[in-house]
Amino acid sequence: MVSLRFPTAIFANLPPPPPPHRAAIAAAIAAAAAAAAAASFTLTAKSAGRPLPHPVHSAPLWASLSLADGATPSNVEPRTGAAFPAETAGGRRLLGVGLRKTTILGLKTIDVYAFGVYADDSDLKQLREKYQKLPVSELKENTDLINDALERDIRMTVRLQIVYGRLSIGSVRSAFEKSVGSRLQKFGGSDTKELLQSFVSLFKDEYKLPKGSVIELSRESNHVLKISIQGEEVGSIQNKLLCQSILDLYIGDDPFDRSAKDNIQGSLASILQA
């Protein structure tokens, strides 16, 4: 290593540095204290084995606004922060929330919409006679419970909240044509093309879907499917097979979100034991 040495005489006649300004001293002390506190917090968190907190801006602004409306954690889809009301306008109770994702070319995953599944308490009484004597732990794994919920005339709503800002109504129409079409074939065979077209044709190009838009798919009494976009009813179709096929996307044996389906079934089990 090269050592550089300078004669002391060089510095002997230099004027003494001006005294630091009091404000500068105070600012330096405050900055040092803040840095020390931050370092202390980091070390404390690491030593306790806890994950370090994420920056406060990690959640999107619109999600923070949703949480400020008084939503509880169980009403919020955790990945997107989309908050759902505990009840619909018709008094149906929220059973659980989930997320619909899709993959583009097998490379990139996109969060398309968050969803909440609701059911009418009074209609769920149809299931109590059969299931109320079974323990909740068993009902959570009981496939017959979900099959009965899909099959019976129980008023239910699936509320979709758009979280992808570039989603078009045409994309929604195409996605439903594929997913609902496969369920119609699963439950009703191949002769369902006309029924499928009557459903997807309700999603007209005139409707826009900016982030935060809401679509509701509701099974009403006598297996009438009612479709609403942004609070406006766009059509209804009376068909048991269609209602069953749409609900199967969210609570059936191959759901969009497995964790959400399990939570929804757990909620059903708890309600039946109440």
Side-chain angles (χ1 to χ4, degrees):
M1 177 182 293
V2 179
S3 177
L4 300 179
R5 298 177 181 274
F6 299 93
T8 57
I10 294 177
F11 301 98
N13 297 322
L14 292 177
H21 194 277
R22 290 183 179 180
I25 294 175
I29 293 174
S40 174
F41 177 81
T42 300
L43 292 173
T44 301
K46 285 183 177 179
S47 64
R50 299 194 304 270
L52 298 179
H54 296 292
V56 294
H57 58 272
S58 60
L61 176 61
W62 69 269
S64 300
L65 293 176
S66 295
L67 288 173
D69 292 337
T72 60
S74 60
N75 295 359
V76 177
E77 196 291 307
R79 179 178 170 91
T80 63
F84 291 80
E87 290 186 354
T88 64
R92 296 172 196 183
R93 180 196 299 198
L94 180 64
L95 301 178
V97 300
L99 182 63
R100 171 64 164 134
K101 298 184 288 187
T102 189
T103 303
I104 298 178
L105 301 177
L107 300 174
K108 183 178 181 181
T109 300
I110 292 176
D111 300 334
V112 183
Y113 60 79
F115 64 86
V117 176
Y118 297 77
D120 185 275
D121 268 352
S122 60
D123 287 350
L124 290 176
K125 293 177 181 178
Q126 299 178 33
L127 303 176
R128 279 204 173 98
E129 183 177 350
K130 181 176 180 179
Y131 294 107
Q132 65 181 352
K133 294 182 180 180
L134 298 178
V136 171
S137 58
E138 184 177 333
L139 287 178
K140 288 181 177 180
E141 307 295 331
N142 193 312
T143 56
D144 287 342
L145 174 59
I146 291 296
N147 290 336
D148 279 337
L150 290 171
E151 176 77 16
R152 298 200 187 192
D153 191 15
I154 297 172
R155 286 171 291 175
M156 300 182 70
T157 293
V158 182
R159 178 185 173 99
L160 318 180
Q161 293 189 190
I162 308 303
V163 297
Y164 181 56
R166 299 170 60 185
L167 187 67
S168 69
I169 195 72
S171 298
V172 173
R173 187 168 55 237
S174 298
F176 274 140
E177 188 166 14
K178 180 178 179 181
S179 59
V180 177
S182 68
R183 294 323 201 265
L184 287 172
Q185 291 184 7
K186 169 185 173 181
F187 292 117
S190 58
D191 190 21
T192 55
K193 291 183 179 180
E194 185 176 346
L195 176 60
L196 177 62
Q197 287 306 310
S198 67
F199 169 64
V200 298
S201 65
L202 296 174
F203 296 87
K204 302 183 185 300
D205 290 335
E206 63 194 75
Y207 298 110
K208 307 303 178 185
L209 296 173
K211 180 183 287 189
S213 298
V214 173
I215 299 173
E216 288 191 344
L217 309 171
S218 298
R219 178 171 65 184
E220 305 296 338
S221 297
N222 299 316
H223 301 283
V224 172
L225 177 70
K226 184 177 74 175
I227 301 96
S228 299
I229 300 177
Q230 289 291 77
E232 176 187 347
E233 184 176 342
V234 300
S236 60
I237 302 170
Q238 184 174 18
N239 188 280
K240 180 179 180 179
L241 178 61
L242 181 60
C243 292
Q244 185 178 6
S245 297
I246 289 173
L247 290 170
D248 187 74
L249 298 173
Y250 304 96
I251 62 173
D253 53 15
D254 185 21
F256 286 151
D257 186 330
R258 171 64 62 180
S259 176
K261 182 264 177 79
D262 292 342
N263 289 336
I264 290 165
Q265 183 162 353
S267 294
L268 275 174
S270 298
I271 291 172
L272 294 179
Q273 294 299 312

